[in-house]
Amino acid sequence: MTSWAGRTAAEIAAAVREKRVTPREVVAEHLARIELLDARVGAFRTLRATAALAEADEVAARADLAELPLAGVPVAVKDNLAVRGESTRNGTAASLDAPADEDHVTVARLRAAGAVVVGLTNCPELCVFGTTEGVYGTARNPWDTTRTAGGSSGGSAAAVAAGMVPIALGNDGMGSLRIPAANCGLIGLKPGHGVVPAGIGHGDWFGMSENGPLATTVEDARLMFSVLAGTRAETGAGTEGAAGVGPEAATGGVRAGESVTRTVAVSVRSPLVGVTVSRPYADAAREAGELLAGAGHRVRRADPPYPVWLGTTSLAHWTAGTAVDAEGLDPRRLARRTRVHAALGRRFVGSVRGGVRREQLRERFEPFFAEHEVLLTPALARRGPAAAEWHRRGWLRNVLVNTNYSPLTPPWNLTGWPAVAVPFGTLASGVPGAVQLVGRPGSEAVLLELAGQLEELRPWRRTAPLGGAGEGL
C-alpha cells in the first residue's frame, strides 16, 4: 500500500489527476497523521476532519480534475485568513467566534486549484511575534519540540515540517513566513508587494504583509505560489494575471532547463545596530554563497547600506500595525504584551501611514540591487527560543528575544521586495539551518531558481523524524 502522508504536493496532485489515488484517501491519511502527532506539535487551532473528507469527494467529482494543479492536496491555513464556515480567531480570545461567510481570496484560489483545507493553524495573538503560543496552544518545532516553531505562521510551518500537510498558507509582515520556515527547515516565500492578494487584518500592516507558501521543496513552493498569484503557469491552466501578474511571475522569463548566471551578494551583517549573527548561521550563508559560485554565479561579499534608523523604523511600523489591528477589540481579552505593543504603536500610526521612511529605504537600497541581482544572508541570527508561554511574559522581554534572533527579515517587508527562506545545513542540535535570498521587485522566480540550485547541491530532509508515515523524508 502506497503511503501519501509525507509525499510532496506535486506528487499527490499528479497521482490524483491520474486517478492512482482518490482525494479522500489522501486526505484521510493526512488527518490520521495529524491525530497521531499534533498533540506533540501544536500546529492546529482547529481541524476540519468531516468537512475536509466531504470536500475531498467534491474534488474527485469535478469535471476538470485532470487539469487541477493541486488536485486533492491537503493544505493548512493560518488562522488569520478566512475559511468559509470556520471562525477566524487570529490567535486571540478577543476575536469573534463566528463562521466566515466566504473564503479569503487566497483560500478560494487554493480550493479552485483542487486543494482541500484540513484545518486552521495556530498563530500568536494578532500575529505580532516571532514565536507562536497563546490561548489556543503552542506551536513547537517538529525537529526539536522544546523549541518554538517560530511565528507568526508557526502553526502552518509546524504542520508542514511534521508531514501533516505537504503545503500550508501563511503570511509575512516582519518575517512571519520566513522565521518559522527557517526554524522548521522549509521553503518560505514572501512575495513582493502586489503579487499575491493580501487582505490581512486591517490594512496589511500598511502594505507590508504578504500571503505566501510554506513547502518542503522548491517545486511545491513554486506550484503553490503560481496558484496564489493567479498564474497557474505550471499546468497551463490559465494565466489570469491576478494582481497584475502574468506568467512571468512563475517563470521569470527563463526557459525550462535554461541556466542563467546571476550576480549574488553575500552579507552576514545584521541590519540592526547592536544585534549580531551567530557563527552557525553566518557560516551557512558563506557556504551557500560558495556553492552558488561553484555553480557558475558571480558571488562576492557585499553589505547592503542598512541605515542606522532601520531599527526604530521597524519598531514604529511593527507596533503601529498592531495598533490598527487591535482597534475595536476588548483590551481586557488581550495579553499584556499585545496591549503594550498596540499602545506604543498608536503614537506612530499617523507617521508611518505616509510611507516616507519606507520610500527612503527603497531609494537607499536601489543602487545596491542595481549592482547585485540577489542578496544572500543568514535567515536567522540564532536558533529559535524555547517553546514557552511567551504571551505571559513582559513586552520588553518578548521584543528583545524576537529582535535578537530574527533581525534579518524586517527590511524586506519595509521595502515590499520579495524574499525567501531556504533550508541549508544542520545546526549542532540537529535542527535545520537556513539562509535567506532577497531580490528586486518581480524577482520571485529568480529567487526560487537559486533556491532550487541550493536544494540540488545540498539536499535537505523534508520532514522531521517524529514517527509514522513519511518519517524524515
Side-chain angles (χ1 to χ4, degrees), residues 99-113:
D101 294 329
E102 297 180 351
D103 287 329
H104 185 276
V105 60
T106 53
V107 177
R109 286 183 178 182
L110 291 172
R111 282 180 154 160

Side-chain angles (χ1 to χ4, degrees), residues 373-399:
E373 287 180 87
V374 174
L375 170 66
L376 168 62
T377 76
L380 299 173
R382 48 193 42 81
R383 64 178 181 168
E389 292 187 333
W390 289 99
H391 62 297
R392 301 187 188 280
R393 298 180 180 179
W395 173 81
L396 182 59
R397 190 175 179 187
N398 272 274
V399 168

Side-chain angles (χ1 to χ4, degrees), residues 163-219:
M164 299 179 194
V165 287
I167 55 175
L169 178 60
N171 36 59
D172 191 315
M174 294 290 276
S176 290
L177 271 165
R178 290 161 290 155
I179 294 169
N183 276 330
C184 297
L186 303 175
I187 297 287
L189 172 65
K190 180 195 80 69
H193 182 64
V195 175
V196 171
I200 306 159
H202 301 293
D204 306 324
W205 276 15
F206 308 99
M208 296 192 304
S209 293
E210 307 293 345
N211 292 308
L214 287 156
T216 64
T217 67
V218 173
E219 180 184 27

